[in-house]
Each structure stands twice: as structure tokens, then as C-alpha cells.
């Protein structure tokens, strides 16, 4: 079993929203690894960061991604930093991965004050720039397709990904 598509991208790219819209179009289910981590621990991502630190969260996240890649055959949305784990990168090389690319200005506008995003506390714009600069090369390297989301609605992005899937039936 393997997901139809895996969505990756920075906070504010629209991964969770687009995943739901795309799953509806495809008539399949959606899974989000941040939700998986929260369900398995009984804690929010933010609380895990505060109580145990980023390294602990990243290990939980890597395990959640590995499990989801084995169990889920629908649309899979990953947390923005999931691609940083070397094991996750290796697993994603065997998947159809769509990078939802977003500019700094659009991402900062979408995440607002970032109160539920632990890595974005404080100066949201500066932190978002650092995240985008560090992660963009990894997203690009892993992506089989890229969709720039800045000026598109979630429905438009889902439609583009749906078209890409139809045009490229195999990963």
C-alpha cells in the first residue's frame, strides 16, 4: 500500500486544506501526520515542542510518517519539517511527492501570528524566511511535482494536483 500522493511544504502552503480538497476529488481518504502524532501522544504539536523539545517531536514525526507511508493509500499531508529527517527523505524518494511552494509573503500572511505553530513563535516573518531558506532545497529535491500556491485557492491547487496525478499515473 502506498499513498496516492504526499504533500510537503512550509507552514502556510496549504497542505492540510489542499489534502482534504484533493481527497474529495479523488474519492479517497486523507491523513495528516501531525494529527497522527497528536493522537498517539495525546498532546498537541505545540505542547510536545514545549515539554520535550523539537528533537523528540521530530523522532515521533518520523515514526508517524513511516507508518502512514505503509498504511495509507489516500492523500497524505506531512508537517512542514518532516522532510528534514534523513529516514523520511529516503522513504519519500519512492513516493509521488508534491511540493506546495509558497512565497514568504503569502506564507507569513496565512500563518498569522503562528500561535499554534511552535517554530514560528516570535518574529514570524524572520523565522518563516529562515525556514523557507533551509527547507526549500529539500522540498525541491524530493518533489516529483511542484505547485506554487500563492495566488491559488485550495480548490485550484487540488485541481492542479488531480490533473498531475491523472497525467502521471505512476509515481
Amino acid at each position: 500500500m502506498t499513498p496516492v500522493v504526499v504533500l510537503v511544504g512550509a507552514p502556510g502552503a496549504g497542505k492540510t486544506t489542499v489534502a482534504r480538497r484533493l481527497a474529495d476529488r479523488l474519492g479517497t481518504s486523507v491523513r495528516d501526520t501531525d494529527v497522527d502524532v497528536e493522537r498517539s501522544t495525546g498532546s498537541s504539536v505545540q505542547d510536545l515542542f514545549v515539554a520535550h523539545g523539537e528533537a523528540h517531536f521530530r523522532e515521533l514525526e518520523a515514526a508517524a510518517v513511516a507508518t502512514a507511508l505503509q498504511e495509507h493509500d489516500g492523500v497524505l499531508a506531512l508537517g512542514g519539517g518532516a522532510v528534514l529527517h534523513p529516514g523520511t527523505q529516503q522513504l519519500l524518494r519512492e513516493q509521488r511527492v508534491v511540493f506546495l511552494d509558497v512565497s514568504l509573503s503569502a506564507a507569513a500572511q496565512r500563518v498569522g501570528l503562528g500561535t499554534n505553530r511552535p517554530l514560528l513563535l516570535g518574529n514570524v516573518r524572520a523565522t518563516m524566511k529562515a525556514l523557507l531558506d533551509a527547507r526549500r532545497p529539500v522540498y525541491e529535491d524530493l518533489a516529483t511535482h511542484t505547485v506554487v500556491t500563492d495566488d491559488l485557492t485550495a480548490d485550484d491547487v487540488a485541481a492542479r494536483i488531480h490533473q498531475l496525478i491523472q497525467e502521471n499515473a505512476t509515481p
Side-chain angles (χ1 to χ4, degrees):
M1 186 177 313
T2 187
V4 173
V5 65
V6 179
L7 303 181
V8 300
K15 297 176 301 290
T16 300
T17 303
V18 169
R20 286 193 296 264
R21 306 276 171 85
L22 181 57
D24 287 346
R25 283 179 175 274
L26 294 169
T28 191
S29 59
V30 64
R31 187 164 173 174
D32 185 312
T33 56
D34 280 349
V35 172
D36 289 352
V37 170
E38 290 179 342
R39 284 186 183 147
S40 71
T41 63
S43 295
S44 70
V45 170
Q46 182 176 3
D47 288 346
L48 288 168
F49 264 79
V50 170
H52 303 287
E54 182 178 0
H56 177 74
F57 171 75
R58 294 295 176 208
E59 289 304 315
L60 295 171
E61 180 179 53
V65 171
T67 298
L69 289 172
Q70 289 179 341
E71 294 177 353
H72 187 63
D73 63 356
V75 177
L76 180 62
L78 303 189
V83 299
L84 301 177
H85 193 279
T88 297
Q89 290 176 19
Q90 185 67 27
L91 292 172
L92 289 176
R93 294 197 189 286
E94 302 169 10
Q95 305 294 323
R96 179 186 288 120
V97 176
V98 175
F99 167 33
L100 301 185
D101 195 0
V102 63
S103 69
L104 173 60
S105 114
Q109 186 175 26
R110 290 177 188 173
V111 300
L113 296 177
T115 55
N116 66 341
R117 298 175 192 262
L119 287 181
L120 297 181
L121 296 176
N123 184 336
V124 174
R125 194 171 189 87
T127 304
M128 180 63 75
K129 180 179 181 344
L131 285 176
L132 286 170
D133 289 348
R135 295 177 182 175
R136 179 169 270 117
V138 180
Y139 296 139
E140 289 172 344
D141 180 54
L142 294 171
T144 51
H145 305 288
T146 298
V147 176
V148 179
T149 67
D150 288 13
D151 298 320
L152 300 175
T153 67
D155 284 328
D156 291 339
V157 175
R160 287 194 184 180
I161 298 169
H162 186 229
Q163 181 179 359
L164 288 168
I165 291 170
Q166 289 179 323
E167 292 171 354
N168 303 281
T170 58

